[in-house]
């Protein structure tokens, strides 16, 4: 029997590698194409398919809602399908490098439009998606992708639409509403983290945002995740934008912030969450007081009185309180005068002398002790700089260095030696760096030294020169027993040379002239070129 003839075979079919991979994935997931697609590596081709499917579902839902506006049963299926497509888009969070293509496909406007969807569940899903896509972990590997997404959100009026969700779900009457608010706050924070201008842009597009946040942190409701998030977002928005600092003042925010911290003048936070909320509110308050007009509002709303009570109470907020006083008194003569009038000298010099530091070290650590010490030095320095020389207030300040047998002079010398040694240690460390390892400019070196203690040492030198310039024989004798004028003069000369113009040319000239006068008072002469500036300031 002859052998069977071989079957005729057609030309071999060359399967596309992508199709082979897709087939293998479908087989691996039991033939479920949707499950296989979710677990596949996403590329531009896959993204286009995903966006197209989403847009189709969205269009179908819009059509069904228009056609059967009074018959929800007839469009509910389309909303289930749309909900699934929104959640599928969450896969994109793992591929931030595809965000520019996602924006080019014009998908962002559709996502933002969903925030106003009549079905709150759909709107909430859109918030979840935006929060996931802008999350720091999602965009970490592609800054360009994150920037493209935030830019597209801004260009398509996204900031306004996102804020409107705060008003829509702001009652937080249900767990779903609470989750929605949490996602909104997360989006705001994420955008501000990705784009440095987003903090100002968000509040410009949604002017009521800061007011909403201030109201939320001032709420008497128990501290929850949303209150914590609101305080954190408020601090970020104010700290990263000068425009927002001004906006806080314009809407009465200084008073609102003071009211929010006031309950803690006599008690400590109940738990870690409340403690974090309080810290963020203080951060927002401190940042706000950097704005000139807000300093005035801070004084008028008795902010200094409140901070002094907190400093005296020895509660956990005392460190934040003295930090706030420091910022409020900086470049503000009116605040300095008010501080003396309300008997603040006794309180700040108690900190200056280190009273209560051992207890503070045990409860809050060395970092808190260090900050209080440096803030006290800064406050005293501001008082010497801004109080009118020869005035009653100025004389009361100088008298502090005479009382208790010149104890403040001894403490001044002690602190000067401490920070001088700290700066020497920094200088020694900088000298060990080779030019091959680091290329530091003179400005870089100065900044390094400032962070290593030189800033506080300069302030201590200003205090020393101011006290020495009074001409009081007892003060001069006490200081000269423990300190060398040559070292102080050298620090002041360095300080004068490095006073910048960040606060304006007029302020720079005034401050340099002030240092020149102190140098003359302690026998240091004038640094080269300062004579004309001193005359201009006078």
């Amino acid at each position: 029997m002859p052998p069977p003839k071989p079957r005729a075979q057609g030309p071999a079919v060359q399967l596309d590698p992508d199709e082979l991979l897709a087939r293998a994935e479908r087989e691996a997931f039991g033939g479920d194409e949707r499950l296989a697609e979710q677990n596949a590596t996403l590329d531009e081709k896959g993204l286009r398919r995903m966006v197209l499917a989403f847009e189709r579902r969205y269009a179908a839902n819009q059509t069904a809602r228009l056609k059967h506006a009074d018959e929800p049963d007839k469009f509910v299926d389309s909303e289930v399908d749309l909900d699934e497509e929104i959640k599928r888009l969450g896969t994109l969070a793992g591929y931030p490098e595809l965000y520019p293509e996602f924006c080019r496909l014009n998908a962002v406007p559709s996502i933002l439009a969903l925030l106003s969807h009549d079905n709150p569940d759909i709107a909430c899903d859109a918030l979840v998606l935006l929060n996931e896509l802008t999350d720091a972990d999602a965009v970490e590997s592609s800054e360009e992708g994150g920037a493209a997404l935030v830019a597209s959100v801004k260009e398509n009026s996204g900031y306004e639409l996102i804020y409107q969700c705060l008003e829509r779900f702001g009652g937080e009457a249900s767990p779903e509403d609470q989750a929605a608010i949490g996602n909104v706050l997360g989006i705001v924070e994420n955008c501000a983290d990705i784009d440095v201008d987003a903090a100002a842009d968000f509040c410009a597009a949604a002017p009521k945002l800061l007011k909403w946040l201030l109201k939320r942190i001032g709420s008497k409701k128990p501290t929850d995740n949303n209150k914590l998030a609101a305080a954190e977002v408020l601090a970020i928005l104010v700290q990263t934008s000068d425009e927002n600092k001004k906006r806080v003042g314009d809407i009465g925010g200084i008073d609102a912030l003071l009211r929010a911290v006031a309950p803690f003048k006599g008690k400590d936070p109940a738990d870690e969450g409340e403690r974090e909320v309080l810290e963020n509110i203080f951060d927002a308050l401190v940042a706000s007081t950097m704005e000139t007009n807000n300093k005035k509002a801070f004084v008028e709303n008795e902010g200094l009185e409140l901070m002094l009570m907190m400093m005296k109470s020895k509660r956990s907020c005392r460190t934040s309180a003295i930090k706030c006083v420091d910022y409020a008194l900086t470049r503000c003569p009116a605040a300095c005068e008010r501080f003396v009038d309300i008997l603040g000298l006794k309180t700040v010099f108690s900190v200056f002398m280190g009273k209560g530091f051992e207890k503070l070290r045990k409860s809050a650590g060395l970092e808190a002790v260090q900050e209080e010490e440096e803030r006290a030095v800064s406050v005293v320095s501001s008082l010497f700089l801004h109080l009118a020389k020869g005035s009653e207030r100025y004389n009361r300040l100088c008298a502090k260095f005479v009382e208790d047998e010149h104890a403040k002079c001894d403490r001044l010398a002690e602190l000067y030696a401490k920070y001088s040694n700290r700066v020497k240690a920094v200088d020694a460390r900088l000298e060990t760096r080779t030019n091959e390892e680091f290329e530091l400019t003179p400005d870089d070196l100065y900044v390094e030294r400032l962070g290593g203690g030189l800033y506080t040492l300069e302030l201590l030198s200003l205090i020393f020169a101011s006290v020495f310039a009074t001409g009081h024989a007892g003060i001069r004798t006490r200081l000269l027993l423990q300190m060398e004028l040559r070292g102080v003069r050298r620090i002041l000369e360095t300080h004068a040379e490095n006073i910048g113009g960040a606060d304006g040319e007029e302020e720079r000239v005034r401050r340099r002239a002030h240092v020149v006068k102190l140098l003359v008072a302690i026998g240091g002469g004038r640094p080269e070129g300062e004579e004309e500036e001193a005359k201009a300031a006078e």
Side-chain angles (χ1 to χ4, degrees):
M1 194 173 174
K5 294 180 181 180
R7 295 181 180 179
Q9 296 182 357
V13 178
Q14 297 294 326
L15 291 177
D16 180 67
D18 290 340
E19 176 58 30
L20 287 172
L21 179 60
R23 180 184 295 178
E25 288 170 345
R26 285 195 297 272
E27 292 174 356
F29 290 96
D32 188 331
E33 292 189 14
R34 182 62 57 83
L35 189 58
E37 192 173 313
Q38 289 177 352
N39 288 271
T41 300
L42 190 63
D43 55 16
E44 288 191 4
K45 184 177 178 181
L47 176 61
R48 285 193 289 271
R49 287 199 303 266
M50 190 181 293
V51 170
L52 180 59
F54 161 71
E55 294 288 3
R56 284 174 176 169
R57 298 294 192 188
Y58 184 29
N61 177 244
Q62 287 181 306
T63 300
R65 272 189 164 270
L66 286 171
K67 188 176 180 179
H68 307 287
D70 299 323
E71 301 175 277
D73 291 345
K74 292 188 178 181
F75 59 72
V76 66
D77 289 342
S78 69
E79 298 199 348
V80 172
D81 293 338
L82 176 59
D83 181 72
E84 290 180 359
E85 293 301 333
I86 297 170
K87 290 176 178 175
R88 282 184 64 212
L89 284 173
T91 306
L92 180 61
Y95 304 88
E97 67 278 5
L98 295 178
Y99 285 8
E101 176 66 12
F102 182 68
C103 297
R104 192 189 69 78
L105 293 171
N106 212 31
V108 173
S110 297
I111 300 297
L112 293 172
L114 292 175
L115 299 178
S116 304
H117 199 282
D118 289 338
N119 185 337
D121 292 336
I122 297 292
C124 288
D125 284 342
L127 286 172
V128 171
L129 176 61
L130 287 171
N131 195 15
E132 290 177 348
L133 295 181
T134 55
D135 185 78
D137 292 335
V139 301
E140 183 178 14
S141 61
S142 178
E143 293 182 4
E144 180 184 349
L149 179 59
V150 171
S152 184
V153 169
K154 176 186 173 183
E155 290 167 7
N156 290 282
S157 303
Y159 294 162
E160 298 98 309
L161 292 167
I162 290 166
Y163 168 73
Q164 286 171 15
C165 290
L166 279 182
E167 296 195 336
R168 180 177 183 179
F169 302 106
E172 300 178 86
S174 67
E176 290 76 17
D177 288 353
Q178 293 169 14
I181 294 301
N183 281 307
V184 171
L185 296 174
I187 294 167
V188 177
E189 181 179 353
N190 294 342
C191 289
D193 187 49
I194 293 170
D195 179 7
V196 293
D197 296 324
D201 292 341
F202 225 118
C203 294
K208 295 181 180 179
L209 174 58
L210 288 172
K211 203 163 195 175
W212 189 96
L213 292 170
L214 287 167
K215 182 179 179 181
R216 186 65 178 84
I217 64 167
S219 168
K220 301 300 182 182
K221 294 179 181 179
T223 299
D224 57 11
N225 289 336
N226 284 349
K227 186 172 185 178
L228 199 157
E232 185 173 358
V233 169
L234 178 63
I236 291 171
L237 294 179
V238 178
Q239 287 175 318
T240 56
S241 167
D242 290 338
E243 293 94 330
N244 287 345
K245 292 178 179 67
K246 295 175 183 176
R247 290 185 179 108
V248 166
D250 292 341
I251 61 176
I254 300 300
D255 181 53
L257 289 167
L258 289 171
R259 289 178 183 276
V261 301
F264 298 95
K265 66 180 181 290
K267 66 174 185 178
D268 286 326
D271 51 38
E272 193 58 37
E274 194 168 68
R275 184 182 305 277
E276 191 170 343
V277 168
L278 180 61
E279 289 175 358
N280 280 310
I281 296 175
F282 261 114
D283 286 343
L285 180 59
V286 167
S288 297
T289 55
M290 295 172 69
E291 167 63 29
T292 302
N293 289 335
N294 290 346
K295 292 178 188 289
K296 181 179 178 182
F298 183 84
V299 173
E300 290 176 349
N301 286 282
E302 300 185 348
L304 289 173
E305 287 86 341
L306 176 60
M307 295 304 116
L308 281 177
M309 283 191 286
M310 289 181 162
M311 290 168 64
K312 293 175 183 177
S313 72
K314 309 301 181 184
R315 299 289 180 178
S316 61
C317 60
R318 56 176 276 180
T319 303
S320 296
I322 191 172
K323 179 180 179 180
C324 204
V325 169
D326 182 19
Y327 275 81
L329 267 56
T330 301
R331 295 185 296 279
C332 187
C336 292
E337 292 172 359
R338 180 64 179 167
F339 186 78
V340 176
D341 291 344
I342 61 175
L343 308 181
L345 291 179
K346 181 178 180 180
T347 303
V348 76
F349 272 105
S350 176
V351 181
F352 182 85
M353 296 298 290
K355 293 181 179 179
F357 276 6
E358 185 58 31
K359 183 178 179 180
L360 179 63
R361 184 187 65 79
K362 293 178 180 178
S363 61
L366 285 173
E367 189 174 336
V369 171
Q370 181 77 21
E371 178 162 9
E372 288 202 13
E373 182 176 271
E374 293 178 358
R375 295 293 176 189
V377 170
S378 183
V379 168
V380 174
S381 175
S382 289
L383 293 171
F384 272 115
L385 179 62
H386 296 299
L387 292 175
K389 191 174 182 181
S391 66
E392 181 187 350
R393 297 184 182 94
Y394 191 88
N395 292 338
R396 286 168 62 185
L397 174 62
C398 294
K400 285 291 179 181
F401 290 85
V402 178
E403 66 184 23
D404 298 330
E405 298 182 353
H406 305 96
K408 311 295 188 303
C409 291
D410 295 341
R411 176 62 171 168
L412 177 61
E414 177 189 338
L415 290 173
Y416 187 90
K418 174 182 176 179
Y419 284 90
S420 180
N421 289 333
R422 189 170 292 176
V423 173
K424 288 176 182 177
V426 172
D427 289 342
R429 176 170 55 81
L430 290 173
E431 287 178 4
T432 63
R433 295 180 171 181
T434 64
N435 291 331
E436 291 75 23
E437 293 174 336
F438 299 94
E439 295 183 3
L440 295 177
T441 66
D443 287 343
D444 292 332
L445 290 170
Y446 183 64
V447 171
E448 286 268 348
R449 298 179 75 219
L450 283 176
L454 180 59
Y455 176 73
T456 301
L457 185 62
E458 289 179 350
L459 298 183
L460 288 165
S461 297
L462 288 169
I463 295 171
F464 169 90
S466 298
V467 177
F468 195 87
T470 62
H472 190 282
I475 290 177
R476 288 192 167 193
T477 300
R478 195 74 170 203
L479 290 175
L480 290 175
L481 283 173
Q482 304 178 75
M483 300 173 67
E484 293 185 2
L485 284 176
R486 185 175 60 183
V488 175
R489 284 198 295 263
R490 187 173 63 251
I491 295 297
L492 287 177
E493 287 167 0
T494 299
H495 177 62
E497 291 168 4
N498 287 280
I499 293 175
D503 300 309
E505 183 63 16
E506 184 178 345
E507 177 65 15
R508 184 187 74 85
V509 171
R510 191 188 74 81
R511 289 175 60 192
R512 294 185 77 170
H514 177 79
V515 178
V516 167
K517 290 178 181 178
L518 292 178
L519 279 166
V520 172
I522 63 174
R526 293 182 183 273
E528 186 178 349
E530 295 297 320
E531 222 165 18
E532 294 181 2
E533 291 183 348
K535 290 179 180 178
E538 293 169 357

